[in-house]
Amino acid sequence: MTPVIRIKELTKSYGAFTALDRLTLDIAKGEVFGFLGHNGAGKTTTIHILTSLLRPTTGSADIMGADVVTGSMVSRGHIGYVPENVRLYETLTARENLIFFGELSGVQEAGSRALEVLELLECPDLERKKIFEMSKGQRQRIGLAQAILHKPSVLFLDEPTSGLDPLGIRQLRNLITKLNQQQDMTIFMNTHLISEVSKTCTSIGVLNRGKLVYQAGIDEVMMRFGNDRALEDFYLSVVPGKAA
Amino acid sequence: MGSVSFASAARKSAALSLKLTYRDRTVVLLVAFFLVMVLVAAYLGWSATNTVNAIYEKALPVLQAQGKTVPANPVGDTPPLSLFRNMVTYVALLGGLASLVLGYQTVSVDRKQGVVPLTASRPVSVKALAAGKIAALSFIIIAVLGISASINVLTLLMLPGISFPASDLGGLATFYGGSALYMLGFALLGAWSAARFESESLALLVPVTAWLTMTFIVPQVTANIGPMAALNPMSANIVPPQSAFFDFTSAVLGPLSIAEAYRFLAASSLQVMTGAGTSTTSASALFTLVAACLVTGALYLRAATTLDKSRSAYRD
């Protein structure tokens, strides 16, 4: 099967510092891919390149066959993106934000689609609420809503559970599973929470100082390590030392 | 979903900018203050004319009783548009500064609220979004000046003893056209700075310094016009001192000074030029203002395109 995300020898350098070092990775359609690594390992840099926010120094990547540099207008049409600590226009309501971002993604009838998505995310009551009046968890939902409004094939989530309380984390986990199974979205999720990976992902990759040091399907991982604790021990063994 | 056309993305961006500006109290207050000053300028013109009329009416019977020659009412000799010369000061000071803030705010809001990664990861051209912001800035400036012009026309029509010939509409249109270009130039300067610098305070300080330099320092260097006199449209009548220094500075910096160009255009269109003054012509003044808008517009588009979308937040 042709991978939905194909990354080949991707490198990003800032002067002498190499943030991403010849990363090669394929993600198949329908996967929920958990990208693990310490802070500064290069996970966000990878997402920034895949969402065309950043140009790689060398190497290439494509989304659904469209190169993220030379065909970025096409590749960007296939993706949805939720940055870490998602921010939206504070003085606008959820509906106004969703309509704007939806229309920028070419959504027709963005108003009715916005309500549809808010219902899918079980928060239609937030429609008329301004962003500055919302809690962290509510903002995260609207952030997710803006990313899936246009029914993207691939959804990028950068540390989606960051700052959420346990209930918020559980709700988000359920939403990710729902989007993957009901909307047929391929999900690429940056995280450093081992417990989230084992509960949500279908495959994982571990990044250490810009290099991919491990990649496997979650079944294989769980068969090999058995539980979260063992997986955590393994993770710490492949990414030793201080976080960058 | 495919990519969104340039025109469509620009329209969405313009509509959003207008909405955000409307909800930004600081900008709305600045615009409201500007309009209040327009009313003040209209009142001052109306009040001064009324005072002269009242004095003339009182003096008339006295002069007639004394059998002296009665001179014509001086109000009748005053070019009607010259009553709005205070407007030049308000546009140069308040209009310029409000436009800077407006341009800065329209662009910096995306960086301050952290939405650049969300817009930049959409299938739209960054230039289209920036063009939309330019359209929104132009719309706001034209709307504000349109209201100002309406207030001016109404004032003229209500003034006793003042006739407002239709031919003066051209002068008023030229004045407001020049004012729009002047304000848009500063709005685009603010927009460029908001997109260009990594520090928020620097992004606001740089265009304000440029505005201060253009408005107060360049006229002094090129024509020995003092900082306060530089705001007065009558200073367009001042002939630069004859010296090698002023010959050189006015030749080199003169064409770059949009404040001087604006003052000249305003003075000639509001009929306060006495015929003396600099070698500037209305055409060259207009050219300077248009060129300033084109240059600042191009700088803004470039800054918006080259902004690092992955690290767009200000660092302070």
Side-chain angles (χ1 to χ4, degrees):
Chain A
M1 188 193 293
T2 309
V4 171
I5 303 172
R6 189 158 42 189
I7 302 171
K8 197 174 171 191
E9 296 281 309
L10 204 62
T11 300
K12 180 67 188 177
S13 304
Y14 297 96
F17 174 69
T18 304
L20 204 56
D21 193 358
R22 287 169 291 152
L23 175 69
T24 297
L25 189 63
D26 285 349
I27 315 278
K29 183 175 166 56
E31 277 195 47
V32 179
F33 179 77
F35 209 24
L36 281 163
H38 286 326
N39 290 332
K43 306 185 302 291
T44 299
T45 301
T46 306
I47 282 196
H48 282 164
I49 293 173
L50 294 174
T51 52
S52 304
L53 295 175
L54 203 58
R55 277 175 173 256
T57 308
T58 58
S60 65
D62 64 63
I63 311 280
M64 309 276 289
D67 189 276
V68 296
V69 176
T70 57
S72 71
M73 276 294 202
V74 179
S75 70
R76 281 185 275 161
H78 293 305
I79 65 164
Y81 172 43
V82 185
E84 186 179 2
N85 298 318
V86 63
R87 306 278 304 277
L88 298 145
Y89 288 109
E90 297 278 324
T91 54
L92 300 187
T93 62
R95 179 185 166 82
E96 288 168 328
N97 269 289
L98 294 179
I99 288 176
F100 174 67
F101 288 114
E103 287 179 340
L104 284 193
S105 293
V107 175
Q108 306 292 325
E109 306 291 337
S112 55
R113 174 67 186 146
L115 186 58
E116 205 177 292
V117 168
L118 290 174
E119 275 165 1
L120 176 77
L121 300 183
E122 296 159 11
C123 55
D125 50 314
L126 296 180
E127 191 187 12
R128 308 276 169 188
K129 205 170 178 182
K130 288 187 174 155
I131 301 300
F132 73 82
E133 299 167 335
M134 292 183 187
S135 68
K136 167 89 184 167
Q138 290 173 331
R139 284 165 189 246
Q140 197 76 359
R141 275 172 187 254
I142 305 305
L144 192 56
Q146 62 77 30
I148 61 170
L149 208 66
H150 52 297
K151 301 179 181 169
S153 305
V154 184
L155 180 62
F156 290 100
L157 304 170
D158 194 358
E159 306 285 359
T161 52
S162 170
L164 290 183
D165 58 24
L167 178 64
I169 292 175
R170 172 174 283 192
Q171 287 173 335
L172 187 74
R173 191 191 304 143
N174 293 340
L175 286 174
I176 291 170
T177 307
K178 197 175 181 181
L179 289 171
N180 174 245
Q181 290 172 358
Q182 293 179 9
Q183 309 280 314
D184 202 23
M185 273 180 210
T186 303
I187 294 170
F188 186 111
M189 180 171 76
N190 278 354
T191 184
H192 45 231
L193 294 181
I194 305 281
S195 57
E196 284 318 300
V197 167
S198 62
K199 290 188 180 84
T200 322
C201 299
T202 56
S203 65
I204 66 164
V206 180
L207 198 64
N208 183 36
R209 296 178 192 276
K211 288 189 174 188
L212 185 70
V213 290
Y214 183 75
Q215 186 189 0
I218 199 70
D219 293 343
E220 182 192 325
V221 172
M222 294 316 287
M223 199 181 293
R224 184 170 166 193
F225 302 105
N227 57 42
D228 288 356
R229 181 61 190 266
L231 179 59
E232 188 177 85
D233 288 343
F234 166 73
Y235 169 71
L236 292 174
S237 73
V238 293
V239 288
K242 262 176 34 176
Chain B
M1 303 282 165
S3 61
V4 178
S5 76
F6 188 97
S8 172
R11 263 198 312 276
K12 313 286 179 220
S13 169
L16 182 86
S17 294
L18 291 175
K19 191 179 278 182
L20 291 171
T21 303
Y22 177 69
R23 293 197 187 167
D24 185 333
R25 299 231 170 123
T26 315
V27 177
V28 171
L29 280 174
L30 262 176
V31 169
F33 186 52
F34 177 77
L35 288 175
V36 167
M37 294 314 289
V38 173
L39 282 169
V40 169
Y43 172 76
L44 289 175
W46 176 84
S47 168
T49 311
N50 260 4
T51 305
V52 174
N53 272 335
I55 292 170
Y56 183 79
E57 292 301 324
K58 275 187 184 171
L60 196 60
V62 177
L63 290 171
Q64 281 171 338
Q66 291 173 349
K68 291 184 177 169
T69 316
V70 180
N73 185 344
V75 169
D77 295 333
T78 310
L81 291 181
S82 70
L83 296 175
F84 301 119
R85 55 182 174 271
N86 288 329
M87 276 298 300
V88 183
T89 309
Y90 301 150
V91 170
L93 268 184
L94 207 52
L97 200 56
S99 300
L100 267 185
V101 174
L102 180 69
Y104 166 81
Q105 197 65 14
T106 302
V107 173
S108 69
V109 67
D110 288 3
R111 296 183 66 180
K112 286 193 276 190
Q113 299 199 1
V115 297
V116 173
L118 297 187
T119 49
S121 58
R122 246 82 196 175
V124 291
S125 145
V126 173
K127 277 189 181 155
L129 298 177
K133 287 186 186 292
I134 294 176
L137 288 172
S138 308
F139 179 85
I140 294 168
I141 288 169
I142 290 169
V144 169
L145 291 177
I147 296 170
S148 308
S150 307
I151 293 172
N152 288 165
V153 171
L154 281 175
T155 309
L156 280 178
L157 293 175
M158 285 162 61
L159 276 177
I162 294 267
S163 63
F164 180 48
S167 56
D168 278 356
L169 276 175
L172 198 63
T174 307
F175 168 67
Y176 274 106
S179 299
L181 288 170
Y182 177 81
M183 287 170 66
L184 184 62
F186 280 112
L188 292 172
L189 186 69
W192 162 75
S193 187
R196 170 69 183 79
F197 293 102
E198 291 182 0
S199 152
E200 188 179 350
S201 42
L202 199 63
L204 195 53
L205 210 61
V206 166
V208 170
T209 307
W211 170 76
L212 285 169
T213 307
M214 288 281 185
T215 308
F216 298 111
I217 297 172
V218 173
Q220 194 160 32
V221 174
T222 57
N224 199 28
I225 297 172
M228 292 320 291
L231 295 171
N232 190 338
M234 298 304 285
S235 64
N237 292 304
I238 294 173
V239 180
Q242 296 299 307
S243 77
F245 175 77
F246 286 111
D247 285 350
F248 175 76
T249 54
S250 95
V252 173
L253 295 176
L256 302 175
S257 170
I258 67 164
E260 268 188 75
Y262 173 65
R263 200 173 53 244
F264 177 87
L265 198 66
S268 62
S269 56
L270 294 181
Q271 303 161 358
V272 295
M273 289 295 284
T274 57
T278 64
S279 59
T280 312
T281 63
S282 293
S284 68
L286 203 58
F287 174 81
T288 302
L289 293 173
V290 171
C293 288
L294 291 175
V295 169
T296 48
L299 282 173
Y300 165 53
L301 284 178
R302 183 172 159 71
T305 314
T306 54
L307 173 71
D308 183 347
K309 312 295 184 299
S310 67
R311 287 187 290 187
S312 57
Y314 291 115
R315 292 202 179 154
D316 62 7

